[in-house]
Amino acid sequence: MAYWLLKSEPDVFGYDDLVRVKREGWDGIRNFQARNYLREMKVGDKAIFYHSNAKPPGAAGVCKIVKAAEPDPTQFDPQSKYYDPTSDSSDPRWDWVTVAPVKALTFVPLDDLKAMPEMADSRLTAKGNRLSVLPLTEREFDAVVAAGSRKRRR
DNA sequence: GCCAACGTTGGC
DNA sequence: GCCAACGTTGGC
């Protein structure tokens, strides 16, 4: 099994939204490296649901891949903000995967993630990282889940 | 709102 | 193939 981290802006679609809708196509990935990672994902893989552009940013939950990569329909929808007129319908450029919630985490803010020794080499905390889909090692994934499974200190 | 980092585009 | 211009991401 592989492990991943998926970024979403909670103002647009947060972990609570995923819990509410139960499953969701991860649309709008328009970066080749991120897309290639989507294509590597297999049903059953798990991912950290990360809130970006949030106050504060951080890990909000765990989700799983319930459907492997297939063409992201928003690329062909002129009404969508993810519309890509240069994508050929006979050879779609962009894919999505479908995810479902596994469990909410006690929110682990980015500051805490950066402080974790297990995350020292992660793509997430690397300088200048902007990838919205990135792989995690099992050790990294387990460390984030462990941090998010503790009771919040008061 | 600012800005650093970085991907993409297009002229040459 | 280079690289400047431009757009986007995302933390602060």
Side-chain angles (χ1 to χ4, degrees):
Chain A
M1 185 192 297
Y3 300 92
W4 310 92
L5 182 141
L6 295 167
K7 294 183 185 176
S8 183
E9 301 192 13
D11 290 349
V12 179
F13 189 84
Y15 187 76
D16 290 345
D17 295 308
L18 181 61
V19 171
R20 183 168 46 76
V21 301
K22 297 188 174 61
R23 52 192 282 146
E24 178 79 356
W26 203 263
D27 64 7
I29 299 300
R30 296 294 181 267
N31 169 284
F32 288 105
Q33 199 174 353
R35 184 209 63 185
N36 292 342
Y37 286 137
L38 291 179
R39 290 182 175 177
E40 291 179 27
M41 293 181 184
K42 294 188 169 61
V43 171
D45 284 359
K46 288 182 182 165
I48 298 295
F49 193 117
Y50 177 88
H51 284 179
S52 64
N53 258 323
K55 298 173 187 174
V62 179
C63 57
K64 63 184 175 185
I65 310 305
V66 296
K67 198 153 191 270
E70 57 191 350
D72 176 353
T74 64
Q75 68 195 303
F76 301 122
D77 177 5
Q79 305 304 315
S80 170
K81 70 174 197 172
Y82 301 123
Y83 179 55
D84 182 356
T86 67
S87 182
D88 178 352
S89 60
S90 66
D91 184 22
R93 179 175 295 171
W94 306 114
D95 283 10
W96 75 6
V97 296
T98 303
V99 303
V102 173
K103 69 167 186 171
L105 296 176
T106 303
F107 190 77
V108 186
L110 179 58
D111 283 349
D112 289 5
L113 294 172
K114 285 179 178 172
M116 291 165 46
E118 296 89 346
M119 294 298 287
D121 297 326
S122 168
R123 300 285 296 279
L124 177 68
T125 53
K127 185 180 76 162
N129 171 63
R130 286 168 34 202
L131 260 189
S132 56
V133 177
L134 53 100
L136 295 178
T137 64
E138 182 173 11
R139 178 167 177 260
E140 290 166 349
F141 178 87
D142 287 347
V144 176
V145 172
S149 300
R150 291 181 199 119
K151 294 278 194 230
R152 192 182 297 280
R153 189 179 293 269
R154 62 176 63 237

